[in-house]
């Protein structure tokens, strides 16, 4: 599995989190990202609201040992954190179905990645529900870490709407109601789909049909990952293990390198 590498000297004190200071005023950043993409792997996970991103991420964590970070969960946790200067701002954006300011979300994710690496949880991250706008994508890849690819769960809106309304009966989430759902769909179509199209043009998109049940979707996800050379470290329900991303190109280069050594080639 990839190791980890992070810039030092970016820790915030306990009285003020890093993203609060970044949201309060623009900062001058180096063009060097916080994490080295040769040692830290980032996989964005996108899909419409109700596409099952969280469910699929949980299965991937189980079988691949990835670290799952949900942008939405991080925002909701910050909203509920005692003393947060941004709690009401986040709450209002969630209620209105609009995207929270970029600096807040990017800094939350960066802090969570740093904490996971400090705990030695791993350095292959599934970042769920992000980036939802092009400016988020560009800022994260410039300042935090370039992504390996985006896993996109594609699902028709009527299926998503039915799932969300059903989930709203028990979830207790402020945005699982008809009015917020309609706003979220509009935001998704107008701001997030351009991000999906951007990564598709770069050949960095893995598209999965998310309309069937979770088991069938997950089987398709595993096939797509295997086609990219990403190997599970355990079978379903197997023993605990740590995930590893191995690109076929790297395996081929390593093999060719060994052949050159054996033949005396330069």
């Amino acid at each position: 599995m990839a190791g980890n590498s992070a810039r030092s000297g970016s820790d915030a004190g306990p009285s003020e989190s890093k993203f609060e200071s970044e949201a309060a005023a623009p900062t001058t950043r180096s063009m060097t990202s916080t994490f080295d993409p040769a040692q830290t792997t980032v996989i964005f996970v996108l899909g419409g609201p109700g596409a099952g991103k969280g469910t699929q991420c949980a299965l991937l964590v189980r079988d691949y040992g990835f670290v799952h970070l949900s942008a939405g969960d991080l925002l909701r946790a910050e909203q509920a954190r005692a003393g947060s200067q941004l709690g009401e701002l986040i709450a209002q954006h969630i209620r209105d179905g609009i995207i929270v300011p970029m600096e807040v979300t990017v800094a939350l994710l960066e802090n969570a990645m740093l904490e996971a690496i400090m705990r030695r949880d791993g350095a292959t991250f599934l970042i769920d529900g992000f980036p939802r706008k092009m400016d988020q994508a560009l800022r994260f890849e410039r300042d935090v870490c370039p992504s390996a690819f985006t896993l996109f769960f594609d699902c028709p809106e009527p299926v998503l709407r039915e799932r969300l309304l059903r989930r709203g009966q028990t979830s207790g989430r402020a945005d699982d109601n008809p009015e917020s759902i309609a706003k979220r769909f509009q935001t998704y179509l107008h701001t997030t789909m351009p991000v999906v199209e951007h990564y598709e043009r770069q050949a960095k998109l893995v598209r999965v049909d998310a309309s069937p049940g979770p088991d069938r979707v997950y089987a398709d996800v595993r096939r797509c990952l295997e086609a990219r050379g990403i190997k599970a470290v355990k079978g379903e329900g197997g023993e605990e293990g740590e995930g590893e991303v191995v690109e076929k190109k790297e395996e081929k280069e390593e093999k060719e390198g060994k052949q050159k050594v054996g033949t005396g080639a330069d």
Side-chain angles (χ1 to χ4, degrees), residues 87-130:
E88 181 53 37
L89 178 146
I90 293 170
Q92 185 62 50
H93 279 69
I94 289 175
R95 283 195 299 269
D96 292 344
I98 57 178
I99 294 173
V100 172
M102 168 185 61
E103 294 84 358
V104 176
T105 310
V106 170
L108 271 172
L109 288 167
E110 183 178 10
N111 286 347
M113 290 173 67
L114 286 165
E115 290 171 3
I117 287 177
M118 291 294 291
R119 292 193 304 266
R120 298 185 181 275
D121 290 346
T124 299
F125 294 91
L126 294 173
I127 301 189
D128 169 7
F130 181 92

Side-chain angles (χ1 to χ4, degrees), residues 2 8 19 49 92 122 130 198 201 252:
S8 61
F19 61 87
Q92 185 62 50
F130 181 92
H198 167 74
R201 287 192 298 270
K252 181 180 178 182

Side-chain angles (χ1 to χ4, degrees), residues 19-239:
F19 61 87
E20 285 175 343
S21 60
E22 288 197 358
T27 58
T28 301
R29 298 287 299 271
S30 166
M31 290 305 292
T32 303
S33 60
T34 301
F35 301 94
D36 182 353
Q39 299 183 358
T40 302
T41 300
V42 169
I43 302 170
F44 293 142
V45 182
L46 291 176
K53 300 182 294 294
T55 298
Q56 296 302 315
C57 284
L59 295 171
L60 288 168
V61 169
R62 181 193 69 187
D63 295 338
Y64 292 78
F66 298 156
V67 179
H68 175 214
L69 298 178
S70 165
D73 287 350
L74 289 171
L75 288 167
R76 282 184 285 273
E78 177 58 26
Q79 175 189 340
R81 184 174 68 86
S84 171
Q85 299 176 16
L86 299 170
E88 181 53 37
L89 178 146
I90 293 170
Q92 185 62 50
H93 279 69
I94 289 175
R95 283 195 299 269
D96 292 344
I98 57 178
I99 294 173
V100 172
M102 168 185 61
E103 294 84 358
V104 176
T105 310
V106 170
L108 271 172
L109 288 167
E110 183 178 10
N111 286 347
M113 290 173 67
L114 286 165
E115 290 171 3
I117 287 177
M118 291 294 291
R119 292 193 304 266
R120 298 185 181 275
D121 290 346
T124 299
F125 294 91
L126 294 173
I127 301 189
D128 169 7
F130 181 92
R132 295 177 62 195
K133 291 179 67 179
M134 278 304 306
D135 60 352
Q136 291 181 344
L138 297 175
R139 172 68 69 88
F140 184 96
E141 297 219 17
R142 185 194 71 185
D143 290 353
V144 183
C145 187
S147 65
F149 61 90
T150 296
L151 184 59
F152 173 54
F153 292 100
D154 196 7
C155 192
E157 183 174 326
V159 176
L160 297 176
R161 188 181 304 277
E162 180 183 352
R163 289 177 182 177
L164 290 171
L165 291 173
R166 186 167 61 245
R167 186 177 74 181
Q169 297 172 4
T170 58
S171 70
R173 284 178 46 166
D175 55 350
D176 278 347
N177 62 78
E179 183 179 357
S180 290
I181 288 170
K183 293 178 180 177
R184 290 162 69 191
F185 278 135
Q186 288 302 309
T187 300
Y188 168 69
L189 289 173
H190 292 116
T191 66
T192 305
M193 281 307 298
V195 178
V196 172
E197 293 162 359
H198 167 74
Y199 286 118
E200 190 165 37
R201 287 192 298 270
Q202 293 188 344
K204 290 177 61 176
L205 190 79
V206 175
R207 185 185 296 264
V208 177
D209 180 7
S211 53
D215 292 342
R216 181 175 163 189
V217 172
Y218 186 55
D220 289 342
V221 169
R222 292 192 62 153
R223 280 193 291 270
C224 289
L225 295 186
E226 288 170 7
R228 278 190 165 252
I230 302 176
K231 302 176 181 180
V233 295
K234 56 183 175 178
E236 297 184 13
E239 295 181 356

